[in-house]
Amino acid sequence: MTGVQFGELPYLSSIDGVEYCIFSPDGESLAIGHGSGIIVVYSISDWGIIQIMNGHYRGLVYLMDGKRIVSGSFDGSVRIWNVESGVCEHVLSDHTGSVGHIAYSPAKNQVASASADRTIRLWDLTTKSCCQILLGHDKAVLCVAYSPKGDQIVSGSDDFSVRLWSIETGECSRIFGRHTDIVWSIAFSPHGDQVASASWDNTIRLWDVESGNCRHILEGHTDYVNGTVYSPKGDQLFSVSGDGTVRIWDVQSGTCRHTLTGHGNVVLCVAYSPKGDVVASGSHDKTVRLWDVSVGGSRQISSGHSSAVFRVKCSPNGSLIASCSMDHTIRLWDVETGSCLRTLSGHSESVFGLAFSPQRNQIGSASGDKTVRLWDVETGTCQYILTGHTDVVYHIAYSPQGDLVASASSDKTVLLWNATTGEHCGTLSGHIDVVTSVVHSPNASLIATGSKDGTVRLWNVGTMTCTNTLIGHGSWVNDVVFSPGGDQLASASADGSVRLWTVATGECCMTLTGHSSGVRRVVYSPGGDLLASGSWDKTVRLWDVASGQCQTVVQNFQGAVYGVAWIPSTESNYLVTGCQDGSVVKWQVIEEKGQHLVHPCWIATNGTLNVTGALIQGTRGLNPSSMRLLRQRGVVGEPASQLHEANTIHVAPMVSQHSSEGIGIDSTLITNFSDEQQQ
């Protein structure tokens, strides 16, 4: 993920590298262990310094009351600090090697320390004494964590192993399989059934506690993995690496959902706020960055289709975009910002067609699984599964009133369905090959269909009979669409042309040529004066309907353009495209001095949401759409009036790391433009 980050919040800039970071139990403060040997406690709300403690910085942990911090150090001691006074209250010093990590027990007033002396020591904080020593690792113990119940401990070591210990017996109860390099970080899942280990072999491994088996090996980081932490629900895992990134993983599937960039050097530590909405990461670049995960969690920010997008449609009121894909899903997108609002899953094969009902409350989808599904837009639930076709269903269309649904299939038929009850109410037969497309006329009296037999047919809805067969294309017909007035029909063909037909006579009144390969989609603009066509030649062309002249060519798509749709708008012409590479793009079409210019507004691809149309300098100069986008991701905030200073620790206001670039756009693909140029 590039550019606009996954809910990136204002960040802290210090004078030294950040080795450790931990949230207080109430989530209101953050303690940072700096490489210079100091611990600084900051207020999350304004980055004000609450306390500075000198002399220790490794393996920090807050005690449950939030009033004390326990730390480890290279000197082999464990220290207990009073956060309010900044004074070290106790020194625990039985280790004979450096202490690199500390963990606090959720069950008793106890901490565990991991040491280079190959031991784990358990400390009773009431008596301030060592109550247990765990022996077994062959080399330095680098990390340790308690189970949620506090009855077990898991540890990682320089000997490449992960060990599970019983606190009651002090014995090692299990040795999980080994990494191929040192294990630097360890974490128990919130439910206690899984352990995550992060290693310098560039991987994270997820282990089943009961069986000891490795559930997943998470690969993607290109350098040492230095830290890992589970989300409070246990469904996500965060990891930080020497490659300078923070990654978010789906625990169930083991796939990387997001890669967060922004740090300029090795990222060493990561911590999850007890509130469950913010993650902190610390780096050798001398910054701590906060990531607002509540934004991404609720909105599925930046995730896109994982395979080709076959069709895109816009809701009648212009607020939503729907796309369907080879990945078996339908996705709903916010028109303004490109946020994926909902994913509709249920089809077992590719989804080739979709349509909004005129009332916008329902979406119909057509699939390779031979079914049509009708979905509730608000809830995302499937209302009906329509069965009757005997082969792949390629397209679906609602009547203008929304009471009738027509579906086109490889079985050479079009089936008609009652949109309210889901009942089959008619069949159109006559094509001698696959029916690829179907559309209702604006006055609801006709249905037009396109087929691989190279013809377009017009059907009387009342009698369900074919009234005309339009012949002229030299290959199969991929798409058909009526003009807004209903007097004209456009068809797109694999012969590389778009044909315009007079509905009343069935005569071809114009042939539009220019694409160098088959034309997959065609659609009229809301005003009916322009046509947009998408092709296998990786371009979109805009055509003047009156003259038949090509007005502009949009190039540089990374695959065939399968989906094209106009967005209803009173302000300007907007277009959305779906591509073979899985991307969905919103475009603004501007008429200037007799020419039509096409500018990208946002791009959503697999794992990435790229946005253009905003030039960030501080947080000024943003139009309302850009402000909405940024607020959704938590990256907009009021800039601080001045830098805070305290003991040479400098606190930076909110800034953008992309002050001279459009947000997240690959400069090799799209030329950026600022809001000032749009307005």
Side-chain angles (χ1 to χ4, degrees):
M1 183 176 178
T2 60
V4 173
Q5 295 302 312
F6 185 91
E8 186 178 1
L9 298 172
Y11 64 85
L12 168 73
S13 179
S14 75
I15 60 170
D16 202 358
V18 178
E19 305 278 344
Y20 288 90
C21 59
I22 53 166
F23 282 95
S24 61
D26 61 6
E28 297 298 327
S29 61
L30 187 72
I32 307 299
H34 291 278
S36 57
I38 63 171
I39 302 167
V40 185
V41 181
Y42 299 92
S43 167
I44 295 297
S45 61
D46 61 1
W47 284 123
I49 294 178
I50 297 173
Q51 192 56 260
I52 297 177
M53 293 162 274
N54 292 292
H56 259 217
Y57 69 88
R58 304 194 76 203
L60 306 180
V61 65
Y62 265 99
L63 300 189
M64 192 59 69
D65 60 7
K67 297 179 180 180
R68 288 169 177 78
I69 287 176
V70 181
S71 66
S73 178
F74 283 109
D75 65 11
S77 68
V78 175
R79 297 191 180 211
I80 304 172
W81 304 85
N82 185 299
V83 174
E84 184 177 354
S85 66
V87 173
C88 176
E89 295 181 336
H90 298 283
V91 179
L92 312 177
S93 54
D94 288 349
H95 279 297
T96 59
S98 64
V99 178
H101 202 229
I102 303 287
Y104 182 69
S105 169
K108 58 183 72 175
N109 195 27
Q110 183 185 86
V111 294
S113 56
S115 173
D117 65 11
R118 306 180 187 180
T119 71
I120 301 160
R121 288 180 179 259
L122 308 187
W123 305 88
D124 187 319
L125 296 182
T126 303
T127 63
K128 308 299 185 299
S129 62
C130 177
C131 56
Q132 203 164 15
I133 302 175
L134 309 182
L135 300 170
H137 281 294
D138 297 327
K139 293 186 179 180
V141 187
L142 302 175
C143 50
V144 63
Y146 280 90
S147 66
K149 293 182 180 179
D151 58 340
Q152 292 177 308
I153 279 179
V154 66
S155 59
S157 169
D158 200 3
D159 63 13
F160 305 174
S161 73
V162 177
R163 288 179 176 249
L164 186 67
W165 308 81
S166 167
I167 291 180
E168 182 179 0
T169 65
E171 298 295 325
C172 176
S173 57
R174 185 181 302 282
I175 301 177
F176 297 103
R178 292 175 180 267
H179 282 276
T180 58
D181 209 325
I182 65 174
V183 181
W184 194 255
S185 179
I186 203 86
F188 255 106
S189 68
H191 305 298
D193 60 335
Q194 191 179 84
V195 166
S197 57
S199 170
W200 280 15
D201 63 12
N202 302 356
T203 71
I204 304 103
R205 292 176 184 251
L206 305 185
W207 308 93
D208 184 274
V209 171
E210 184 175 352
S211 68
N213 295 330
C214 181
R215 293 182 180 177
H216 295 292
I217 299 177
L218 312 184
E219 297 178 305
H221 283 298
T222 59
D223 207 332
Y224 300 156
V225 185
N226 296 312
T228 188
V229 62
Y230 281 93
S231 64
K233 293 181 179 179
D235 58 334
Q236 291 183 329
L237 189 77
F238 281 68
S239 61
V240 296
S241 169
D243 61 17
T245 68
V246 180
R247 284 182 177 252
I248 306 172
W249 307 84
D250 181 87
V251 170
Q252 184 174 359
S253 66
T255 58
C256 179
R257 299 183 62 180
H258 305 282
T259 300
L260 312 181
T261 59
H263 283 294
N265 206 323
V266 173
V267 190
L268 293 169
C269 54
V270 61
Y272 219 115
S273 167
K275 295 182 177 181
D277 58 348
V278 174
V279 167
S281 56
S283 168
H284 265 323
D285 67 3
K286 306 178 184 179
T287 71
V288 175
R289 290 182 179 266
L290 300 185
W291 311 90
D292 185 349
V293 294
S294 65
V295 175
S298 63
R299 292 278 188 173
Q300 297 294 320
I301 296 302
S302 303
S303 64
H305 287 291
S306 60
S307 192
V309 175
F310 289 121
R311 281 190 187 266
V312 288
K313 293 288 184 179
C314 191
S315 62
N317 67 353
S319 65
L320 293 175
I321 291 169
S323 58
C324 61
S325 170
M326 188 184 289
D327 65 11
H328 306 180
T329 70
I330 302 105
R331 288 179 181 260
L332 302 183
W333 310 85
D334 184 293
V335 165
E336 286 193 32
T337 67
S339 296
C340 181
L341 305 177
R342 185 168 287 114
T343 301
L344 311 182
S345 301
H347 283 295
S348 59
E349 295 290 343
S350 298
V351 185
F352 293 107
L354 80 164
F356 276 97
S357 68
Q359 294 78 22
R360 185 192 169 273
N361 63 336
Q362 194 178 71
I363 285 180
S365 58
S367 171
D369 62 14
K370 306 177 186 179
T371 70
V372 172
R373 288 181 177 243
L374 303 184
W375 309 81
D376 184 284
V377 172
E378 188 67 28
T379 64
T381 58
C382 180
Q383 297 174 313
Y384 298 106
I385 301 175
L386 312 182
T387 59
H389 284 294
T390 59
D391 209 334
V392 173
V393 188
Y394 278 114
H395 200 203
I396 185 172
Y398 281 88
S399 63
Q401 293 80 23
D403 58 336
L404 193 67
V405 172
S407 56
S409 170
S410 284
D411 63 13
K412 307 175 187 178
T413 70
V414 173
L415 299 186
L416 304 182
W417 313 85
N418 185 302
T420 304
T421 65
E423 294 178 354
H424 174 235
C425 54
T427 302
L428 308 181
S429 300
H431 283 292
I432 59 174
D433 206 334
V434 173
V435 186
T436 59
S437 53
V438 61
V439 63
H440 289 265
S441 65
N443 65 6
S445 64
L446 295 175
I447 286 177
T449 56
S451 170
K452 280 195 173 183
D453 63 17
T455 70
V456 176
R457 286 181 177 248
L458 298 179
W459 309 80
N460 182 290
V461 175
T463 63
M464 298 188 191
T465 58
C466 179
T467 60
N468 211 340
T469 301
L470 314 182
I471 300 174
H473 281 296
S475 186
W476 68 74
V477 178
N478 290 311
D479 202 14
V480 290
V481 61
F482 279 100
S483 65
D487 58 332
Q488 192 178 76
L489 185 78
S491 57
S493 172
D495 64 11
S497 73
V498 174
R499 285 182 176 252
L500 306 185
W501 310 83
T502 302
V503 173
T505 64
E507 295 179 354
C508 178
C509 56
M510 199 175 297
T511 302
L512 313 180
T513 59
H515 283 293
S516 60
S517 189
V519 185
R520 189 66 184 259
R521 294 288 175 260
V522 64
V523 61
Y524 282 92
S525 64
D529 57 330
L530 292 175
L531 269 174
S533 57
S535 169
W536 274 290
D537 65 9
K538 304 181 184 179
T539 71
V540 169
R541 286 179 176 256
L542 297 187
W543 310 85
D544 180 81
V545 172
S547 67
Q549 297 298 310
C550 179
Q551 300 297 297
T552 191
V553 181
V554 184
Q555 304 184 65
N556 294 323
F557 287 95
Q558 302 304 300
V561 182
Y562 290 152
V564 182
W566 290 90
I567 301 172
S569 173
T570 58
E571 300 175 356
S572 182
N573 279 326
Y574 290 95
L575 193 68
V576 61
T577 57
C579 185
Q580 185 181 20
D581 66 359
S583 66
V584 177
V585 186
K586 178 187 174 183
W587 310 83
Q588 184 180 23
V589 182
I590 302 172
E591 187 174 2
E592 188 175 292
K593 297 179 181 180
Q595 293 184 326
H596 288 84
L597 307 177
V598 181
H599 296 291
C601 300
W602 51 255
I603 302 175
T605 63
N606 182 30
T608 305
L609 174 64
N610 291 335
V611 182
T612 191
L615 185 65
I616 296 185
Q617 294 176 325
T619 56
R620 298 173 296 176
L622 301 180
N623 63 21
S625 176
S626 299
M627 290 291 285
R628 178 179 173 185
L629 172 83
L630 295 176
R631 286 196 179 104
Q632 283 182 347
R633 283 147 187 80
V635 301
V636 170
E638 294 299 324
S641 58
Q642 61 184 7
L643 296 181
H644 299 281
E645 295 186 10
N647 296 339
T648 70
I649 303 296
H650 297 281
V651 181
M654 164 144 188
V655 296
S656 168
Q657 294 299 299
H658 310 275
S659 59
S660 62
E661 300 177 5
I663 308 175
I665 283 293
D666 182 346
S667 60
T668 63
L669 175 63
I670 296 173
T671 302
N672 303 314
F673 61 102
S674 69
D675 285 350
E676 287 77 5
Q677 290 171 308
Q678 294 184 75
Q679 295 171 346

